Amino acid sequence: MNDTSGPRRAMVDNQIIARGISDPRVIDAMLQVPRELFVPEAARALAYSDQPLAIGEGQTISQPYIVALMIEAAAIGPEDHVLEIGAGSGYAAAVMGRIAHTVHAVERLPALARAAGERMRALGIDNVTIIAADGTRGWRAHAPYDAILVPAAAAALPPELPDQLAARGRLVLPLGPASQQRLIRLTRREDGGLAEADLGDVRFVPLIAADG
């Protein structure tokens, strides 16, 4: 699946590396995963464009740069156990699956969760598990996690997520209203507290609990 000359290579060069993403694991994973398989067939011509795309059920797949930015910010490594909240079509989970040891992902919409799981099986990605559930509550059964990523904006930090971080674990998510969203990284300190880093302005769809 490694595309070294076509649109995927151009996406990585022009949208990711050119904007400062430098983690070789992130770059290699983005080269491996065929983004065109994670968007509706009618949108495949735009799969490597610098924009979010509709994936049905009123949801979108994030633009490639944002996917890479969040994964790099979470400093995911080959031994890490990762949780994603809001799997959507499964693209970011698939990219992380090429880096991390295991990825668990939660999607509140059953149709999207089911389709994302089918894509993982079709691509032979066997270290990614996706369920339909309320992502705002995390997935406590498999905690603690070395990294948690939330590609949807919450007005306030979902209270159950920090408790599911391992020591030195990283939680990356956008916080704030649509007009003032900031990408935040929270890192679990050795004393159990959280260190916060502000990674800049972003624009995400809102995080919605399973009950709406």
Side-chain angles (χ1 to χ4, degrees):
M1 289 190 295
N2 196 337
D3 181 348
T4 59
S5 60
R8 202 180 312 158
R9 175 80 254 183
M11 174 195 76
V12 170
D13 287 345
N14 300 328
Q15 300 176 38
I16 294 171
I17 296 174
R19 292 182 182 173
I21 301 298
S22 60
D23 186 332
R25 293 172 296 197
V26 176
I27 292 167
D28 186 60
M30 301 274 306
L31 281 170
Q32 290 184 53
V33 177
R35 193 170 187 261
E36 68 274 13
L37 300 184
F38 291 84
V39 301
E41 188 170 353
R44 287 185 178 176
L46 299 173
Y48 295 103
S49 60
D50 184 22
Q51 61 182 316
L53 297 170
I55 56 172
E57 302 284 334
Q59 303 302 302
T60 60
I61 181 174
S62 297
Q63 70 186 102
Y65 169 70
I66 289 296
V67 173
L69 175 66
M70 292 190 72
I71 296 173
E72 183 174 70
I76 295 172
E79 302 302 318
D80 284 349
H81 178 40
V82 178
L83 174 66
E84 184 188 25
I85 305 302
S89 67
Y91 176 68
V95 173
M96 290 187 286
R98 295 298 181 188
I99 303 171
H101 184 263
T102 52
V103 178
H104 284 80
V106 181
E107 170 53 52
R108 70 181 178 88
L109 298 171
L112 290 182
R114 182 170 55 253
E118 291 171 355
R119 289 186 187 95
M120 299 304 159
R121 290 187 288 274
L123 291 169
I125 302 174
D126 58 8
N127 64 335
V128 176
T129 303
I130 299 172
I131 64 164
D134 182 355
T136 64
R137 306 192 67 180
W139 195 346
R140 195 171 292 276
H142 296 281
Y145 301 96
D146 300 294
I148 300 175
L149 283 78
V150 186
L157 178 65
E160 296 191 46
L161 296 185
D163 293 342
Q164 296 177 40
L165 281 176
R168 297 182 298 278
R170 291 82 58 199
L171 168 58
V172 178
L173 80 168
L175 287 175
S179 60
Q180 298 177 330
Q181 290 177 11
R182 307 289 293 179
L183 189 63
I184 301 298
R185 180 179 58 222
L186 301 173
T187 303
R188 175 71 69 194
R189 299 193 305 255
E190 293 290 347
D191 64 6
L194 293 170
E196 180 176 322
D198 186 330
L199 306 178
D201 293 320
V202 287
R203 181 67 62 87
F204 282 82
V205 297
L207 179 66
I208 301 173
D211 60 5

